[in-house]
Each structure stands twice: as structure tokens, then as C-alpha cells.
Amino acid sequence: MSIPQPFIQELLVRADVVEIVGRYVQLKKGGANFMGLCPFHGEKSPSFSVSPSKQFYHCFGCGKNGNAISFLMEHAGMTFVEAVKDLAQQYGMQVPEDDASPSERARASEQRQKQATLSDVLEKACDAYKKHLKGSHKAVDYFKGRGLSGDIAKQFGLGYAPEGWRSLASVFPNYDDPLLAESGLVIASVDEDTGEEKRYDRFRDRVMFPIRNVKGECIGFGGRVLGEGTPKYLNSPETPVFHKGRELYGLFEARHALREQGYVLVTEGYMDVVALAQLGFPNAVATLGTACTAEHVQKLFRFTDSVVFSFDGDAAGRRAARKALDGALPYASDVRSVKFLFLPPEHDPDSYIRAFGKDAFARYVSEATPLSRFMIEAARDGCDLNSAEGRAHLASNARPLWSQLPEGALKRQLLGEIAELVQLNSRELSEVWNGPAKSGKADGAHGGKRYNNDSYQRIQDEGYSPKKPSNFAPRMRPGGRTALASRADHAARILLTNMAAWDSLSNEDRSMLCELPAPHGPLFVWLESQLHEHGAQPWAALREGLRDHESEALALKATASFEVPLAQEPDPDDTASELRGLLDLMQDDRFKLMETEALAANDLERYRRLHEQRRARASAK
């Protein structure tokens, strides 16, 4: 789904990031901003700042920052589209869809309505199962026998499906409603002899585990049989709201604990998750009877940067871990941690903790196998490294695994480790995998560095130091050296973060800015058009509107320091004075450039006229 950027900008103008964040974080006024405890990492002293003027949040502890949309994505684990839809609903806005025909939009609207209706049906069934649990001694005894408390049962919404074939008929008077079959609650089949449709409950005499999406909506169920029936575990089928390859059991319940604990523990079953929560590990989730997919891993990394997969130590557990490795490799960046925990064959997480204690299990988790080591173990499985053939086999096995890793230090280090195992150096292994590197000469005579002799460009590259100290400190290069910014960069930073200041500019100033070479000129042209079309907007809205614009990189670079809320907001008078002094210097540079061009063309009359205009401007200041 493609959402028009103007709509996203309008949404961010209407939305108040303080209000959105304030629903999840207790905020207190502190100067021009609001402060609170960061929801993304554990802390005791508030370092999380929300700026109403910038419509931006920033944590000085962990560095998380963004606008109202990114907060919903980071905190609730929503996708971009889900966050936009959720925010739009809160402010009574209808999300438009680009590149969709009327029939496609009608189908999308019908699908959304069906999903909402199915969720209502599933929630109603969930409430019924919870009531049935209270009246079933054997179901209550089962949960108590697994050591679960009433609080944990309530937290996870545990329930019980009675033995009868049509017990849901007492919950849904219209038992023939197609939605009951579409939601997976009822099985509808046709008798081959009579041609009559038969309907009966899918879940019967089972303890029930409701499956929720990241917004807390019930989208399906898992049921464990009581007694000797088969299958032991039964899941809801695939429906318009439930996709096993995307969802994780317990993620909604664990979302806050993931940030507090610093990692997520991925287990193999519902009871593992619930039992671990009971035993002090509320940061566990489980796949839903399927192998861990790349979508699962991507979803987990929205909540934490550290994932630990827990598997049985037997052959089946190793096979499951191998599939999880494939899903995790594309997301194993230098700032993320992926580990693999293999329990003794006779234990699951629940039994291990009960046998050896919480601290022993925590140590076991901390000593889990890192992704790098498990990847090499998987590649060398069955390879005799004492022979050239075995080492060649390892190189062949490792290539598809290594190539899935994102670029970075981890990938380079693993290249070296694999090369050492196969008794080659890194360059030789790369040549084996990719062929010899093509040689080529660097551009220019100075190591590829090119020099631009254009006089205007030289002026643009000069740094600007205002007479008054600026509230926006320039960024520092590694090693403590200040990164130079051009005068046009400074003008872009002020006008993007204080859009209303554009109205105070003269036509001469606006023309000068809009006529600057790319990328500055197109950025100022775009900024002026935005002001005419939408009025003054906060930086958070402008940032969304700049996506895929040719000057997007310039705008992000120019405003980098602005995205960090300052303890002291800049005084508007100081900002206006800084902008005025900056534009005067730029106009002066412009006149000097035109004078130089006039002299080069031997146009003395034009030179004298320009020189007089520049002197008149200087004396008028």
C-alpha cells in the first residue's frame, strides 16, 4: 500500500507527539520540553525528552528518536502503514491510497471491514473460553499442575473449550454464520452421502491460548488437548487476520519486558512462554507450529536488538535452529545480537529452571552460541577439514550463508575466519566465491579526488561562524574536529526547523536561495511550495514530505543536530538574527561573485554598478 506523502505530512501536523507519547510514558514539563523515563531501555533517571515545538522525541541515554509515527513503530512494533492507519484513526482522518483503482479501494475497504469483524468474533469466543475455564476443574488443575498462577492465566487470557461438538452455539446464536467458519472457530464440511453441510467446533476439550497481534487484538487460538487425544496441539487455520508465518505467540504480552530485559527468548511452544513468564522470564515468545521465518526475526528486531533462540538439543532441535539461522542472517547487523541456546535433550526451559533455578538458566542463556559460531558450525557439518576436499566443501557450504549477512564488520570478520579454516586468505576466498576483482585506475591524478574550480562552489564550501553563539552546535567529526557546513547548509537548517521564518524574507532573499545550485536550490524551491500549499509545518512533517526528494540527504544532514532536543530551546529572536546575518553574508558573496564574472568578461560598467550596490548594502546595515 502506498500512502501519499502530503497525507503523512498533514497527519503529523495534526498529531501531537506529546499526546501520543504521553499515553505510554509519564511525562513532566521541563523547560520548553517534556521529560520522562525512556520506554526503550531501562533507566532510573529521566533522559527521554519530547519537544512540542519540533514534534520530536529523543532519548539521551539510548539515542532513540523520531516523530509520532516512528514512536508507534518502535514502541508498539507496528509497520509504517499500521502506524499511519492507527494514528489517522485517532485523529479522525481517512488514509488515502495511491495508485489504486476504485474497485481495488473497494476491495481493500471490504477486507479491512472483514478483518475488524473477524477480530470481534474471535474476541467474543475468547471471553467465552475464559468463562468456561472457571467452571472446569480439570482445566484449572492442569494449569495449576504446570505451576501457573491466576494472575498469569489472566495476563495471557487462558481459557478452556468444553467437550461438546457445538458449545459455541450458546455464544453465537446464529451458528450458521459464515464468519464462524472463516475465523477458524467452526469447521464446516459436506456429507458425501447426503450432501448436507455439517458444522462443529474446531476446539473441543482443550485448554486455550489466545494469540494476539502487536495491538492486542485476538487473531487466533492454540489449543492443547486434555487427555490422550490428537493432535496434542491444535492451532487456528490461516485466516484473513491470522498468518502463522508472521505472528509470534506472547509478543504482545512480552513487549515491555523485552526492553527491560534487553533480549527476547524465542521458544517452541505456548506453555514454554507462559511458564517462563511465571518463573521470572516474561521476555519469551514462541513460533506457532512453524519454523522461524525472516518475517518473525524482522518483527522481533522492532522491539529489541538481541534475540536468543531456544531449542532442544536433539536432532530435531538442531534442524529447527538451522532454519532459524536462515531467517536471522539478513538481519544480523553489527549492532544486533543473535544467539542459539540448546538445552539438554531431557529438558525444556520450564523443567530446566525448576531443576536448576532461575540464575542457572540466566547463565545458560548468557552463554548461548553466537550466530557467527553457529553459522560456521552449520557450514562445516560433515566436512573433513584435514583434507583439501573437505575444506573446499566448507567453502562451498559457507558461501550462501555468508552472502546473506548485511555489510559490516561482522561480515568481514567471518570472511577472515572462514578463509583461515579453508587455508586461504580473505582475498583468495573472495576470488573463489566471486571471481578475480577487476582492476581499475582511480579517477584523477590524486587518488581519485576531484577538485571543482568553480568560483561560486568555492564560496559555498566556506564555513560560516555567526557573531553570536548559535544554539545549534555543529556536529563533530571523529577525532573531535568540527565538520564544516556551508552558509547554505546553515540557512537550510534554520528554515527547515523554523518554517515560518520564510515569510519574513524579502523577495531578493528568496530568489537568491531558490537560485542556488542543487541540492540547495531545489530544497528551497520545495520549501516555498510547501509553505504555499500547507502553511508552516513542524520539522517532523517536513521530514516525511522530503522522502525520495533529490535534496532529502542535504536536509537530513543540515538538521541532524536539531533532531536532538536541547535542554534550552533557541530564542526566536536569536534565530532570526542569526538568519539575517547569514543571508547578508550570502548576498555579499553573491555580489562578489558577479563582480568577478564582470571583470572576467571585461564589462567594467557592470562591475562598477555591482560594486556600488554592494557598498550601499553594507552601509545600510
Side-chain angles (χ1 to χ4, degrees), residues 42 80 125 136 153 168 182 222 247 279 321 350 385 391 412 421 571 607 616:
F80 178 77
S136 173
L168 286 177
E182 194 166 1
E247 303 298 338
L279 295 169
D350 180 14
L385 299 190
R391 293 191 293 273
R412 292 193 178 189
L421 286 171
D571 187 285
Y607 169 78

Side-chain angles (χ1 to χ4, degrees), residues 49-321:
S49 174
V50 186
S51 169
S53 64
K54 302 170 186 177
Q55 286 297 299
F56 229 71
Y57 64 86
H58 180 85
C59 177
F60 292 95
C62 67
K64 293 279 189 183
N65 63 76
N67 55 34
I69 294 174
S70 62
F71 181 82
L72 290 177
M73 293 172 66
E74 291 279 358
H75 189 267
M78 299 181 188
T79 64
F80 178 77
V81 172
E82 289 170 344
V84 170
K85 286 182 176 180
D86 188 81
L87 201 59
Q89 185 178 22
Q90 294 181 46
Y91 288 90
M93 299 174 69
Q94 181 65 40
V95 180
E97 300 175 22
D98 278 348
D99 306 324
S101 66
S103 61
E104 289 172 333
R105 292 184 184 182
R107 283 197 298 271
S109 177
E110 182 181 348
Q111 181 73 1
R112 287 194 295 271
Q113 182 60 41
K114 178 178 285 187
Q115 289 175 344
T117 306
L118 287 175
S119 291
D120 290 340
V121 169
L122 290 163
E123 287 287 358
K124 193 172 182 179
C126 182
D127 290 339
Y129 292 144
K130 286 190 286 188
K131 290 179 182 178
H132 287 309
L133 175 62
K134 295 178 182 179
S136 173
H137 293 297
K138 63 178 179 179
V140 170
D141 289 343
Y142 170 78
F143 285 134
K144 284 185 176 179
R146 298 299 298 264
L148 302 185
S149 68
D151 288 340
I152 287 293
K154 182 178 179 180
Q155 178 186 343
F156 285 88
L158 304 183
Y160 171 68
E163 294 184 53
W165 286 90
R166 294 165 66 99
S167 65
L168 286 177
S170 63
V171 182
F172 300 97
N174 183 13
Y175 193 73
D176 292 332
D177 188 341
L179 287 172
L180 294 180
E182 194 166 1
S183 65
L185 293 171
V186 166
I187 295 175
S189 62
V190 178
D191 188 295
E192 293 181 359
D193 297 328
T194 65
E196 294 181 359
E197 183 184 72
K198 294 183 177 180
R199 283 176 167 255
Y200 54 93
D201 293 358
R202 179 180 300 273
F203 299 102
R204 304 178 307 280
D205 194 24
R206 291 176 180 270
V207 286
M208 301 297 288
F209 300 82
I211 302 164
R212 304 189 182 282
N213 61 19
V214 292
K215 293 191 287 185
E217 299 167 338
C218 183
I219 56 175
F221 293 94
R224 188 196 188 282
V225 71
L226 290 177
E228 300 300 323
T230 56
K232 185 176 180 181
Y233 283 97
L234 179 65
N235 289 324
S236 290
E238 295 278 318
T239 71
V241 296
F242 178 55
H243 305 280
K244 287 184 282 189
R246 301 178 194 168
E247 303 298 338
L248 289 151
Y249 178 71
L251 182 57
F252 173 74
E253 290 80 4
R255 65 196 189 285
H256 297 305
L258 300 188
R259 298 188 177 100
E260 293 171 1
Q261 301 291 327
Y263 71 96
V264 59
L265 184 64
V266 185
T267 62
E268 297 188 87
Y270 307 110
M271 274 307 304
D272 287 335
V273 172
V274 180
L276 282 167
Q278 179 73 63
L279 295 169
F281 291 87
N283 52 323
V285 301
T287 54
L288 299 167
T290 64
C292 188
T293 66
E295 284 187 88
H296 286 142
V297 177
Q298 185 180 32
K299 181 171 285 190
L300 289 170
F301 277 130
R302 294 179 193 157
F303 292 88
T304 179
D305 289 329
S306 182
V307 176
V308 179
F309 293 103
S310 174
F311 298 100
D312 294 339
D314 57 13
R318 287 276 170 176
R319 287 195 297 271

Side-chain angles (χ1 to χ4, degrees), residues 564-584:
V564 179
L566 303 172
Q568 181 72 37
E569 291 283 354
D571 187 285
D573 291 337
D574 288 348
T575 302
S577 175
E578 181 183 2
L579 178 61
R580 183 67 266 157
L582 183 61
L583 293 175
D584 286 342

Side-chain angles (χ1 to χ4, degrees), residues 30 32 57 79 147 172 231 301 323 337 348 356 401 452 480 575 585:
Y57 64 86
T79 64
F172 300 97
F301 277 130
K323 292 178 181 178
S337 169
D348 58 22
F356 301 103
L401 299 175
N452 190 332
T575 302
L585 286 170

Side-chain angles (χ1 to χ4, degrees), residues 281 352-362:
F281 291 87
Y352 190 93
I353 294 173
R354 294 185 188 280
F356 301 103
K358 178 180 175 181
D359 291 342
F361 184 72

